[in-house]
Amino acid sequence: MNPLLALRPWEAPEVTSWGRIPMNAVDRRTGALSLDGDWRFQLLPTPDAPVSDVWSSSYVPGAWTLQDTDDLPRYTNVRMPFPEFPPASPSENPTGVYEREVDVPAEWAGRRIVLQVGAAESVLLVQVDGRPVGISKDSHLAAEFDLTDLVRPGSPATVRLTVVKWSDASHLEDQDQWWHGGITRSVLLYATDPLCLADVTVRARADGGLRVDCQVRDAGGALPDGWYVTGELDGECLAQDAEFDRANAEDERVSDFLGEARMRAVVPGVRTWTAETPELYGLTVRLHRADGTVADTSRHRIGFRDVEIVGRDLLVNGERIYIRGVNRHDFHPLTGRTVSYDDMRADLVLLKRFGFNAIRTAHYPNDPALYDLADELGFYVVDEADIESHDHAHEIADDPRCLNAFVDRVSRMVLRDKNHPSVIIWSLGNESDYGANHDAAAGWVRRHDPTRPIQYEGAAKLDWAATDDASDIACPMYAPIEDCVAHALSGKQTRPLIQCEYSHAMGNSNGTLADHWAAIESTPGLQGGFIWEYWDHGILQRVTDGRPAGRSGAGLYDNGVAAPGHRWAYGGDFGEKIHDGAFIADGIVFPDGTPKPVLYEHREIAAPVRLTCFRHEGLVVENHQCFRGLDWLSARWELALSDGRTLTAEAELPDLIPGETAAVPLPFELPDNGGEAWVTLRVTTKDDEPWGPRGTEVCAPQLRLRAAPAPRNTTGTGPSVEVDAEGLLVHPLLTVAPTLSLWRAPTDNDEIGGMALRWRAWGLDALVRKVVSVREDSGRVTVHAEYAGTVGVVRHVQVFTPVEGGIRVEESAELPEDFADVARVGTVFETVPGLDLLEWFGQGPWESYPDRSSGAPVGHHSVPVDDLFTPYLRPQESGGRHGVRHFTLSAPDATGLAVRLDEPRQVSVTRYRAEDLTAAAHHDELVPRPGCVVHIDAAHRGLGTASCGPDTSAPYLIPPGVHRWNWTLRAL
């Protein structure tokens, strides 16, 4: 029996570790022996169950819940997946036993040998050759154990890692996320000299000041005489102009076994680090024996920068910045929380291309490689401790049994990540109420690292203007922007306001994002926030047996869509009785990393170059960055005209410092035809950037130069109007006649926010149509109809008039007061099969809606019909295009139909009726219709973010009363 089991650490909150080496920031990756790969594996029902002689295998790193075991993933948001109260855990407690032989290199004789387990959920017990080594909790930080006295270099050793899934620690890891079990980050074995660096702390200031503090230990006991530390800073500037002042190095013995050394330097002409200019230097720290030979080495990539709060402003290098952030989990649709370096780089590259500059590591320290990438590519990081006790937050925040766990988790995060310039703020955790345990952790951080502020939403939410809690930043969740603005204008604001979560990205969402940022950028005291969140956490699932596809599932998804026979699983799809459904699918990218349309919205909101106005001297261009000029960018002009033409010209960006504006001449002569005209500045990278090759589009700011003239109702000879006995238009290109539509397949915001429930109660999903009258007058047909819900009647009028080449349809709908705030008011019809290409003049080319349209420039767009639909994990309203002036639907032989609208309208063209989408829980249940389902909306409700946060604002709601619209249908 594992002797560590006698301690029963899964039910002992006072035990956070045993035999574990203190966390540090020394780099040990060079020369390490990777133990990743297949391990012998058994999954036991409880920690007390005996280990048998029958082994299977499991790949490390990886969660056993995704590797064909009977313990499958579970998803809960707030609720724990078991009923026991803290610190208890359930009696049915899956326990994974991992075992393998390790050949310890013979050349490691006489060296200190350390095992590093990158992450294990949730309790890790380590044995070597049957002898106990240690215990660790905290599922998202590495645990290291000294094996020197337990292994023999040149001989094999049997390493056993026992991982207990549920424990008292699970109550501190109650994140809105899948529950897994296993070893989810890499396992390493490395060796050092007995005399070694125990820790390295780097403080590099924006003025070039550098201080390096080193702690030294000797595994043999007392430190030898004569040891010393040296450092080297790479880079031509420093090599020529400065070096470490060894004469001033301090060697302060504090005990016989721990030594400290400090090195200082000033780097003249230092290149400072920011998210816009991520300048890094290579620092090498060497520990020497008395004879000068090197005993230990640690390498770091460091950045010189300052972070401070002055009044109510967060400053980097003395400049007020905007936080354009996203919350990010470690996630992959096949391997769960196990992510590769390439996966993480792809995440950050995509974020950089779409204008993000900040990451909150929700809600735990992320994989260490992420911070290296953030340093290199340029991101501000809020590093968050692995603390969320959502279901039992109030009890745990002040529970003295959890005091050590709080301080341990926060302090170990700080000790690991303190040398990363990207980390500008420490977070004490998430959704864990506020208590003495938070204050204790904050006190430790403020003493150990006074160079960074601390944030914690649970403390700051009690009073945004407080000055005596554990948060230096007011960081609310989903606060209405009106409340944020009111606070900033109240005169009571004492600290920066940066929302740790806002604009919930569940399904078709993120409405009013542009409005939110317009308020932030115009209100001193507001500095941004973090969208929730990066990923849709769908797990690729085989439909046939309902199990995860596993590591072999690569290639079974593309562009956000799972391959036939597979689907994206969410809560409840693995048989969980306690779950929170599709709330796990709330990201700005699909599970395979494909961008959602909202990313284009964000890209324009965060644009480094703006077109602010059109004046007689030309277009006014603004540099909207904080630290960088425009010399890294190229651009070209586009002029989109409503007559179908698009003109282009090269653009020369002015030399502007951050915040500066300049007028540039319009490179086009506006045609005299009086049509609508829009100018777009397509901005791209001039040279290769670490996150994108030369020519990568950065933004596309746009201005309207001329509005469309007022539409004229033309008459002429056209096809005769034919209606059937029900007063419905008969047309050879239509299989379902145009009728009134007030219903949309509810978005996640509609469902969770309660709007869909209200609409169903009104009967909007099943309106009953009754013809009141049909009248023909000189070829013009007028149809009066009533659409009855359960509480009201909508009067609908359609007037069909022959015009040259087609039919003009004039419509009105009178909504009763009972129908305040419906989903849409408009027309729906269906076409014959074969019309597979949509071309339009309006906003695009990607999906857009009334309150999420800033990222879709007006122009001429062409997209295959099958590509218009957006495959949100739970089928819902999607694929709309805002501000459409006219469109055509055509077959390959150029036949089809053309529609011209009276004014810019919301239009959607897909293969699905609203009822098809409403009835389906997953996309594998959808059957495309052969023709096109076309919606032309006089008004369409905004999207908002009501699944978690504010609904859309008043201008994007649909009031009762009379709505009018008209459109013209012609055959191509």
Side-chain angles (χ1 to χ4, degrees):
M1 176 181 176
N2 186 342
L4 295 174
L5 293 174
L7 297 175
R8 306 188 69 80
W10 56 92
E11 49 187 36
E14 69 279 3
V15 177
T16 59
S17 68
W18 178 81
R20 191 176 65 191
I21 295 173
M23 182 62 79
N24 61 81
V26 180
D27 179 15
R28 298 298 185 192
R29 287 168 286 189
T30 302
L33 177 65
S34 173
L35 301 185
D36 291 353
D38 288 317
W39 287 54
R40 294 189 296 273
F41 180 73
Q42 294 185 35
L43 184 61
L44 309 178
T46 68
D48 299 319
V51 178
S52 73
D53 295 329
V54 180
W55 296 87
S56 61
S57 68
S58 184
Y59 192 88
V60 173
W64 69 60
T65 43
L66 295 173
Q67 296 194 48
D68 207 27
T69 69
D70 291 332
D71 184 31
L72 298 176
R74 307 185 192 186
Y75 167 59
T76 61
N77 174 18
V78 176
R79 297 172 293 176
M80 292 295 292
F82 51 80
E84 284 77 7
F85 279 74
S89 54
S91 57
E92 294 183 7
N93 194 350
T95 301
V97 181
Y98 298 81
E99 191 174 277
R100 64 166 289 174
E101 273 69 56
V102 177
D103 293 320
V104 182
E107 59 268 26
W108 287 3
R111 294 174 66 78
R112 170 177 169 263
I113 299 171
V114 177
L115 175 72
Q116 181 188 95
V117 181
E121 303 181 27
S122 68
V123 177
L124 171 68
L125 300 88
V126 181
Q127 288 176 281
V128 173
D129 291 335
R131 290 179 289 176
V133 177
I135 296 170
S136 180
K137 297 179 184 178
D138 190 343
S139 296
H140 299 94
L141 282 175
E144 294 190 335
F145 303 92
D146 192 332
L147 307 186
T148 307
D149 296 333
L150 299 172
V151 299
R152 294 176 58 191
S155 300
T158 300
V159 175
R160 175 177 288 186
L161 305 178
T162 301
V163 180
V164 183
K165 182 175 183 178
W166 306 120
S167 70
D168 62 279
S170 301
H171 295 283
L172 296 180
E173 297 175 356
D174 181 20
Q175 287 101 358
D176 174 12
Q177 189 46 250
W178 291 103
W179 292 95
H180 289 296
I183 300 170
T184 54
R185 293 183 190 154
S186 290
V187 180
L188 304 174
L189 195 69
Y190 68 85
T192 73
D193 192 271
L195 178 66
C196 63
L197 292 164
D199 200 6
V200 174
T201 302
V202 179
R203 292 180 181 172
R205 302 193 308 270
D207 62 4
L210 176 65
R211 173 176 143 184
V212 182
D213 292 288
C214 304
Q215 288 187 341
V216 180
R217 294 181 187 273
D218 193 295
L223 288 166
D225 293 329
W227 61 268
Y228 61 96
V229 174
T230 64
E232 177 184 327
L233 195 66
D234 295 334
E236 295 181 6
C237 176
L238 184 59
Q240 295 173 359
D241 300 329
E243 62 181 357
F244 282 110
D245 185 0
R246 294 177 185 144
N248 292 329
E250 303 171 15
D251 176 357
E252 301 175 1
R253 294 283 188 92
V254 296
S255 72
D256 288 337
F257 63 90
L258 176 65
E260 295 182 355
R262 176 173 298 165
M263 296 176 287
R264 299 178 186 270
V266 176
V267 182
V270 69
R271 305 184 309 274
T272 54
W273 186 97
T274 71
E276 294 175 15
T277 58
E279 298 282 355
L280 295 176
Y281 291 78
L283 173 67
T284 302
V285 177
R286 296 186 178 92
L287 172 64
H288 298 263
R289 306 179 187 91
D291 61 3
T293 57
V294 176
D296 201 3
T297 302
S298 183
R299 293 177 175 84
H300 307 263
R301 296 281 282 168
I302 66 169
F304 289 79
R305 60 103 183 96
D306 294 331
V307 181
E308 59 182 333
I309 291 176
V310 177
R312 58 181 186 170
D313 293 326
L314 174 68
L315 307 180
V316 172
N317 300 342
E319 295 290 334
R320 186 176 185 270
I321 62 170
Y322 286 117
I323 296 295
R324 304 183 185 277
V326 68
N327 290 273
R328 180 194 173 277
H329 282 279
D330 283 339
F331 172 78
H332 190 279
L334 302 178
T335 56
R337 272 188 277 280
T338 299
V339 288
S340 70
Y341 176 88
D342 290 341
D343 292 335
M344 287 179 278
R345 187 177 187 91
D347 294 352
L348 269 59
V349 162
L350 186 141
L351 286 171
K352 199 76 177 177
R353 290 180 180 180
F354 284 95
F356 289 88
N357 70 355
I359 295 168
R360 176 175 173 234
T361 67
H363 299 291
Y364 44 79
N366 283 186
D367 188 287
L370 180 99
Y371 302 82
D372 295 334
L373 288 164
D375 295 341
E376 173 196 342
L377 298 175
F379 285 91
Y380 302 120
V381 174
V382 173
D383 205 2
E384 190 151 275
D386 187 12
I387 300 174
E388 181 169 340
S389 55
H390 209 157
D391 199 13
H392 301 285
H394 183 69
E395 310 94 282
I396 290 176
D398 283 307
D399 189 338
R401 296 174 297 177
C402 298
L403 172 62
N404 289 342
F406 273 63
V407 177
D408 183 67
R409 288 164 181 258
V410 173
S411 64
R412 294 182 75 235
M413 171 187 70
V414 172
L415 289 166
R416 188 193 73 167
D417 298 333
K418 60 190 173 185
N419 294 337
H420 288 282
S422 57
V423 177
I424 66 167
I425 298 169
W426 301 116
S427 170
L428 303 180
N430 183 67
E431 293 178 323
S432 300
D433 208 340
Y434 179 42
N437 294 336
H438 294 97
D439 287 333
W444 187 95
V445 176
R446 287 184 168 129
R447 171 68 177 175
H448 184 82
D449 180 24
T451 69
R452 295 175 174 94
I454 298 171
Q455 75 173 45
Y456 177 57
E457 181 267 342
K461 73 178 180 181
L462 301 177
D463 180 0
W464 291 356
T467 59
D468 58 352
D469 57 38
S471 187
D472 301 317
I473 296 169
C475 47
M477 289 183 177
Y478 309 107
I481 190 60
E482 298 82 3
D483 292 356
C484 297
V485 171
H487 175 67
L489 300 179
S490 68
K492 299 178 181 179
Q493 187 178 6
T494 58
R495 50 187 170 180
L497 195 155
I498 303 170
Q499 292 208 58
C500 68
E501 294 179 22
Y502 80 107
S503 193
H504 194 251
M506 184 178 181
N508 193 358
S509 187
N510 301 107
T512 70
L513 189 61
D515 297 355
H516 202 108
W517 271 95
I520 291 171
E521 292 183 0
S522 62
T523 309
L526 306 184
Q527 285 189 255
F530 297 84
I531 291 174
W532 185 266
E533 62 161 311
Y534 182 68
W535 285 105
D536 267 0
H537 294 261
I539 293 175
L540 190 66
Q541 182 186 47
R542 299 189 295 262
V543 176
T544 52
D545 60 8
R547 301 183 69 83
R551 297 173 61 86
S552 62
L556 293 177
Y557 46 79
D558 184 49
N559 290 324
V561 178
H566 297 79
R567 66 183 184 186
W568 298 123
Y570 49 75
D573 286 339
F574 293 111
E576 318 100 290
K577 294 181 180 179
I578 300 174
H579 67 85
D580 287 292
F583 207 70
I584 193 70
D586 49 12
I588 56 175
V589 301
F590 290 105
D592 64 349
T594 299
K596 288 185 180 178
V598 65
L599 280 176
Y600 295 95
E601 182 87 348
H602 187 274
R603 189 180 71 176
E604 294 312 312
I605 291 169
V609 182
R610 309 286 177 91
L611 295 179
T612 60
C613 62
F614 177 42
R615 302 198 298 241
H616 66 278
E617 65 266 35
L619 297 158
V620 178
V621 177
E622 178 187 4
N623 179 355
H624 205 70
Q625 300 170 104
C626 294
F627 299 98
R628 206 173 186 185
L630 302 184
D631 55 325
W632 64 286
L633 298 169
S634 295
R636 62 184 175 88
W637 296 104
E638 285 185 4
L639 182 66
L641 302 169
S642 57
D643 63 7
R645 289 180 293 164
T646 299
L647 309 179
T648 63
E650 291 300 313
E652 183 175 344
L653 293 174
D655 183 13
L656 300 177
I657 64 173
E660 191 176 19
T661 63
V664 297
L666 180 66
F668 307 102
E669 290 289 336
L670 284 180
D672 295 330
N673 62 8
E676 196 172 359
W678 292 79
V679 66
T680 303
L681 183 64
R682 295 205 173 270
V683 182
T684 60
T685 55
K686 181 182 291 186
D687 300 303
D688 291 346
E689 295 284 334
W691 45 268
R694 176 183 179 183
T696 299
E697 188 158 285
V698 174
C699 58
Q702 184 178 71
L703 279 177
R704 187 175 68 179
L705 302 182
R706 188 167 60 200
R712 292 179 298 170
N713 286 334
T714 59
T715 60
T717 302
S720 61
V721 176
E722 181 182 354
V723 298
D724 63 15
E726 296 298 319
L728 297 173
L729 178 69
V730 177
H731 193 281
L733 293 176
L734 306 185
T735 58
V736 176
T739 55
L740 179 68
S741 175
L742 304 181
W743 170 260
R744 69 184 181 195
T747 66
D748 291 315
N749 291 331
D750 295 339
E751 291 285 13
I752 297 174
M755 288 76 77
L757 181 65
R758 184 171 69 245
W759 297 335
R760 289 188 180 98
W762 294 345
L764 300 189
D765 58 334
L767 293 171
V768 178
R769 182 179 182 271
K770 181 180 73 173
V771 178
V772 175
S773 67
V774 178
R775 185 177 71 252
E776 182 179 357
D777 183 9
S778 301
R780 180 179 183 179
V781 178
T782 302
V783 179
H784 289 260
E786 292 180 347
Y787 288 76
T790 57
V791 297
V793 175
V794 179
R795 293 179 174 83
H796 180 227
V797 179
Q798 288 179 312
V799 180
F800 303 107
T801 304
V803 296
E804 184 176 355
I807 299 170
R808 184 171 69 246
V809 184
E810 300 168 86
E811 304 195 59
S812 67
E814 183 179 357
L815 273 62
E817 291 297 325
D818 292 331
F819 287 176
D821 187 18
V822 298
R824 65 176 4 134
V825 179
T827 306
V828 61
F829 59 84
E830 296 180 27
T831 74
V832 296
L835 307 184
D836 298 330
L837 180 67
L838 178 72
E839 298 176 272
W840 75 96
F841 180 61
Q843 294 188 252
W846 29 80
E847 176 192 272
S848 57
Y849 282 83
D851 61 350
R852 202 193 67 215
S853 62
S854 296
V858 174
H860 300 280
H861 307 291
S862 176
V863 177
V865 169
D866 290 337
D867 294 340
L868 293 166
F869 182 68
T870 306
Y872 297 109
L873 257 66
R874 189 189 65 78
Q876 57 195 272
E877 163 67 33
S878 78
R881 265 65 180 175
H882 188 59
V884 175
R885 281 76 166 161
H886 55 78
F887 66 88
T888 63
L889 273 169
S890 60
D893 63 359
T895 61
L897 60 83
V899 172
R900 181 168 293 275
L901 307 171
D902 58 335
E903 62 181 75
R905 300 290 188 183
Q906 182 79 19
V907 170
S908 73
V909 180
T910 71
R911 302 291 189 195
Y912 307 106
R913 295 176 179 171
E915 53 262 39
D916 299 337
L917 300 173
T918 305
H922 295 87
H923 283 270
D924 61 291
E925 302 167 19
L926 290 172
V927 178
R929 293 182 180 271
C932 299
V933 179
V934 181
H935 280 274
I936 300 171
D937 292 329
H940 195 104
R941 191 186 195 277
L943 301 170
T945 64
S947 55
C948 191
D951 191 9
T952 193
S953 55
Y956 307 110
L957 301 178
I958 300 176
V962 178
H963 297 264
R964 304 180 190 278
W965 66 105
N966 69 75
W967 48 285
T968 302
L969 173 66
R970 291 183 171 89
L972 292 176

